[in-house]
Amino acid sequence: MRRFLFLTALLSLLLALSIPSPARNQNANSNSSGTQNTNSARKRPPVFRATKDQIKQAQAILKGRGFYAGEQTGKLDPDTREGLKKYQAAESIKVTGTLNKLTLERMQITLTDKQKAM
């Protein structure tokens, strides 16, 4: 009887060790969102954002060049983005529809110190 109990315990132990658990599985995700959280992941750089005043200046320039017909609101609305795309295409720079650093520099709009560092 002891021999039977010993063999049952041994088989149970072997079975338990043969089934991979999530804690031992190296391919298991470390969070529940389905993405792996690794130490080698790079931090994203800060997002470049134009100020309200810069957007107003850009809208005035776009209006002067005939790429924008709206008001100088200081908001990147769809019409402003369309005007920026036309301006960027005319200036042979990457067409993004955003007021990125290159577009502001090409429009000769002064950058903030924080924007210059980016």
Side-chain angles (χ1 to χ4, degrees), residues 24-80:
R24 282 185 267 147
N25 188 351
Q26 293 177 353
N27 293 328
N29 292 328
S30 59
N31 59 25
S32 61
S33 67
T35 59
Q36 287 185 332
N37 185 9
T38 62
N39 291 337
S40 63
R42 288 187 268 160
K43 278 189 168 183
R44 287 185 175 190
V47 177
F48 186 93
R49 296 196 191 277
T51 65
K52 187 173 183 174
D53 186 52
Q54 289 170 329
I55 296 169
K56 284 182 179 181
Q57 290 176 50
Q59 287 170 329
I61 292 168
L62 293 172
K63 197 169 193 172
R65 298 267 310 260
F67 297 130
Y68 176 70
E71 298 298 317
Q72 295 175 25
T73 61
K75 295 182 181 180
L76 277 174
D77 57 16
D79 291 336
T80 304

